[in-house]
Amino acid sequence: RDFNERCAQCSEVNWGLTDGGRFYCRSCHNVTERTREVVNTDFVSNTRIQTISKDLRKQEKNDGGCEWYVCEGFQLVLKKQAEALEALGVSPQMKDEILCNFWRLYLQKSKQAYCNRPAGETVKALSVCDSSTDVDSEPERPSLLHLLSLSESEGDLQTDCSFASSTSKISESTSVCSGSVDGSMYLMKNQKEKLRMTMPMTLSFCYMALLWLREPMTLSDLLRFVVEGHIPYLNVFQHFPEKMKLCGLDLKIFCVESWPVYEEVYNKMLELAAFLDLPRFPDITDSCFLHPDMLCMKYLMEANLPDELHNWTCRVVKKIRIGEADFLTLVPGNKSTRKVKYDVLAVAVIVVVLKLLFLLDDHYEWLLSDFAEERNKNNKEGGPYFEFKKWYKVIKCSLDVEQKKLDEERAKYLWRCEKPLFYSAQKKSKVLKRRQIVVNLQNQFGKLSGSVRPAEKPNPSSFQLSWSEENTDGSCFHGHSLKGILQEKCGLLTAMNPDYWLCTVKLCTEKLCGHLAHYREVEFPQSYHFVLRLFSFLLRIQPSYIHDEVCAIEHKLFNKKLCKKPKYNIGLRK
């Protein structure tokens, strides 16, 4: 009653006293630094007892759960993903140094930690939830953001005191709509300028760290390992500690009910790198796995194509200068440099080489195949000539089987997590009992229908399709020769095919379009579409993205002839 100063936040004179002896405004909950002097020691001891009892009541009300923040949940997800990548053979440096530093920098840039939080955000936070209960005391400041450090050796994050006190007050009101302290605020406030964290962005963080270390793992490999369950992503919140209660809006943040999309993860990685103001990434040289020459060798082996094609892919890479470090290395924020998708670039080079040698117009490749077949029948000496028709049949059979298996696995996938979610101790036994009943019923119906329980997943591999030269059925084409389609000219081997058809004469320059060229299956030869379908399956992306890269490579390769003859797309000489 003796304190008559106006509140600095709302200009009201409506003060209360916290358990620590400090004044706070009952209107806006602003806590001042001024304290009330207390002479009676009995009053102080009683106050301490009331504080302890209130904490116990609060703990019972929250069913043993602890206060946690959304960024803590995402850090736990990143920690689990980094551990899974380390188990797959990635360098431990990724988790303990690279990814950890990226995450700290993001928290600082987004003003979630390692910074002084703007005072205006605490007022916004208090106005989010309409709480009818009057806050009569301020508990002692908790150690905010008890983050499970990625390196397991660092301390808690540094946050400012005003935010800690305000968020602790509103924790009870926010728990009504979310288990986390700031779950409701996280989705309501505008964070476009701060690049709000999402589940797909966790994969962007991982890929950015892999790219910084130049690890032999492409983005398509990373997403495939996620879908196969080797890297935590779907239902990852079931790995959260028991005290981190999830409910309401928390599930909207951490629960994922869709497969990760290549373009979304890649674009978010570019935004992250620019948002964090990262310097130029380490150079991608010809000795790195991500270099086109290396990746072309990998995808030629997986596509069961002749080894001799690698010489042609290297020639194309050198001709259009896409193997140079300045072209391949990521420079965040530099809009003038083209952003490279290493796996897509490599398979596009292979497609261009196949068009150079076989044309892929649904006619010329079959003529070459008939010639090679006759030669292989009449001449048994030396290595066999490559037969495109035979390769097509072998690959199509394997591709159809693998595609059907993938479609069935996706159709049968259970989006609900194995670990049941419950939000109170009273409901825990009921939820567990109900879950056990569901599992028993599934097992009984499975026995009646004769369905076989799925076997354990094999160990992850960089190759989805494997071919061995030891097979006697002739299904491996790695050692087959290209002599039937090549001729020597001026000391160099050139293709007998003198023509080439362009996918498009003019690239699309519309930024809103998102594609360099439009792809419709009916407008292109079936052989070309089959090759795109094969590589789109290996990369788990849409064929249109590979088609875009093919068009870009073609325009670099035939740039001079396009300038001379812009109206023609058939009959271009190599």
Side-chain angles (χ1 to χ4, degrees), residues 340-501:
V340 181
K341 303 169 186 174
Y342 303 97
D343 40 10
V344 181
L345 178 66
V347 298
V349 170
I350 296 176
V351 175
V352 171
V353 169
L354 290 177
K355 288 181 65 180
L356 285 170
L357 300 181
F358 298 96
L359 200 59
L360 299 183
D361 64 346
D362 289 343
H363 177 70
Y364 185 74
E365 64 269 23
W366 306 121
L367 292 178
L368 292 177
S369 182
D370 293 338
F371 168 77
E373 184 179 4
E374 289 295 327
R375 187 269 175 194
N376 290 335
K377 287 181 180 179
N378 301 328
N379 190 359
K380 301 296 182 180
E381 297 180 0
Y385 282 12
F386 176 70
E387 300 179 33
F388 187 89
K389 184 185 298 182
K390 187 177 180 180
W391 172 83
Y392 172 84
K393 292 180 180 179
V394 171
I395 294 297
K396 187 176 187 305
C397 182
S398 299
L399 184 60
D400 291 342
V401 172
E402 294 297 327
Q403 185 67 56
K404 182 180 179 181
K405 187 187 302 182
L406 176 63
D407 294 339
E408 289 179 352
E409 289 178 356
R410 291 193 172 188
K412 293 179 181 179
Y413 185 81
L414 298 177
W415 293 101
R416 288 188 176 183
C417 61
E418 298 179 359
K419 179 182 177 181
L421 297 175
F422 45 84
Y423 311 117
S424 64
Q426 293 79 7
K427 295 182 180 180
K428 180 177 181 179
S429 58
K430 294 182 180 179
V431 173
L432 292 177
K433 184 177 180 180
R434 189 178 301 171
R435 178 64 179 173
Q436 187 62 40
I437 293 175
V438 172
V439 173
N440 293 336
L441 288 174
Q442 288 177 344
N443 293 335
Q444 292 176 9
F445 280 113
K447 292 178 181 179
L448 291 174
S449 61
S451 61
V452 182
R453 294 182 62 87
E456 295 184 0
K457 293 183 179 180
N459 294 330
S461 173
S462 297
F463 292 90
Q464 302 176 68
L465 304 176
S466 58
W467 314 93
S468 175
E469 297 183 9
E470 298 177 356
N471 295 342
T472 58
D473 56 356
S475 60
C476 182
F477 298 89
H478 290 161
H480 288 212
S481 174
L482 298 177
K483 291 182 180 179
I485 60 175
L486 300 178
Q487 61 182 355
E488 188 173 350
K489 187 176 181 180
C490 300
L492 293 176
L493 289 176
T494 60
M496 297 176 60
N497 165 40
D499 299 325
Y500 188 93
W501 60 272

Side-chain angles (χ1 to χ4, degrees), residues 214-341:
R214 296 175 292 185
E215 286 286 338
M217 183 181 295
T218 62
L219 179 56
S220 58
D221 290 334
L222 175 67
L223 299 186
R224 179 167 57 85
F225 291 149
V226 168
V227 174
E228 293 176 356
H230 302 297
I231 299 176
Y233 180 75
L234 304 174
N235 297 325
V236 68
F237 53 83
Q238 64 184 343
H239 300 293
F240 283 11
E242 191 69 24
K243 291 186 177 181
M244 291 179 64
K245 304 294 183 180
L246 279 86
C247 64
L249 296 178
D250 296 329
L251 297 179
K252 187 175 182 180
I253 297 173
F254 293 100
C255 184
V256 179
E257 294 187 352
S258 62
W259 306 103
V261 181
Y262 186 103
E263 283 293 312
E264 180 183 3
V265 175
Y266 180 80
N267 291 333
K268 283 296 181 183
M269 185 275 295
L270 297 179
E271 290 184 38
L272 264 176
F275 176 73
L276 301 180
D277 293 328
L278 295 180
R280 176 187 170 108
F281 276 51
D283 288 351
I284 304 297
T285 60
D286 54 1
S287 61
C288 296
F289 177 81
L290 298 176
H291 194 274
D293 291 344
M294 292 285 190
L295 285 178
C296 283
M297 186 185 303
K298 171 185 181 297
Y299 291 120
L300 286 172
M301 294 176 60
E302 194 164 9
N304 198 13
L305 288 167
D307 299 332
E308 294 182 14
L309 286 175
H310 187 247
N311 295 328
W312 285 83
T313 60
C314 293
R315 289 173 64 177
V316 171
V317 169
K318 184 177 180 180
K319 176 72 175 178
I320 59 179
R321 304 176 66 180
I322 61 173
E324 299 179 356
D326 290 338
F327 176 82
L328 296 173
T329 305
L330 176 62
V331 182
N334 190 348
K335 297 181 180 181
S336 61
T337 59
R338 187 167 180 264
K339 306 303 183 291
V340 181
K341 303 169 186 174

Side-chain angles (χ1 to χ4, degrees), residues 5-12 15 25 28 30-32:
E5 294 183 8
R6 291 187 178 274
C7 176
Q9 295 285 351
C10 63
S11 301
E12 293 289 335
W15 299 103
C25 180
C28 66
N30 176 42
V31 181
T32 66

